[in-house]
Amino acid sequence: MWFQRITAGLLLLAIAAIAAVSYFGFRANTQIQTLKSFLEGYVFADAVAACEKAQSATPFKWNGGTNTRVIGLNSVKLDKYNIVSSYTLVADGVFCDFDPIKKKAAIGSNFLERE
């Protein structure tokens, strides 16, 4: 009888723990998504301006573009200490990656191949 009570108690405790972890994970994920949206909105105007001014053989026309998309804020961890962030915009098939830290834009297809 004691074994059944202990087993039932441990099962209820495990279910409560899983529910609590799921709830707090959901709350943290919601806050992270909100922070990411805020940062993307903050960087957007600077990214458009820098991308339109960037020198390239293929011009980047965000304001006059017919097919424009925001890919968003991306980051790549190069090694243990370096993270490269990029805010990517696409206008009429032309990709522009904006570095929010250096405030520089690069036009091309893959920001990992650029310096």
Side-chain angles (χ1 to χ4, degrees):
M1 188 69 170
W2 283 102
F3 178 74
Q4 291 174 345
R5 288 181 183 170
I6 291 173
T7 304
L10 289 175
L11 181 63
L12 288 175
L13 185 63
I15 290 171
I18 290 172
V21 167
S22 298
Y23 173 73
F24 288 118
F26 173 75
R27 294 272 318 253
N29 188 31
T30 303
Q31 290 177 351
I32 289 170
Q33 291 295 335
T34 303
L35 178 64
K36 184 178 177 189
S37 298
F38 176 77
L39 288 175
E40 286 180 351
Y42 181 74
V43 171
F44 177 74
D46 292 337
V48 169
C51 286
E52 286 189 341
K53 290 179 185 176
Q55 298 294 326
S56 175
T58 308
F60 185 85
K61 303 280 186 193
W62 180 265
N63 292 323
T66 57
N67 187 10
T68 58
R69 297 235 159 81
V70 175
I71 294 179
L73 192 61
N74 305 306
S75 65
V76 175
K77 191 167 187 175
L78 297 178
D79 59 22
K80 189 174 174 181
Y81 300 106
N82 296 325
I83 295 175
V84 176
S85 62
S86 171
Y87 188 79
T88 306
L89 302 170
V90 180
D92 296 332
V94 178
F95 287 79
C96 179
D97 294 318
F98 176 70
D99 185 352
I101 310 263
K102 296 179 182 176
K103 302 282 185 186
K104 289 186 178 181
I107 296 176
S109 60
N110 187 354
F111 87 99
L112 290 175
E113 295 174 359
R114 289 189 226 104
E115 295 180 29

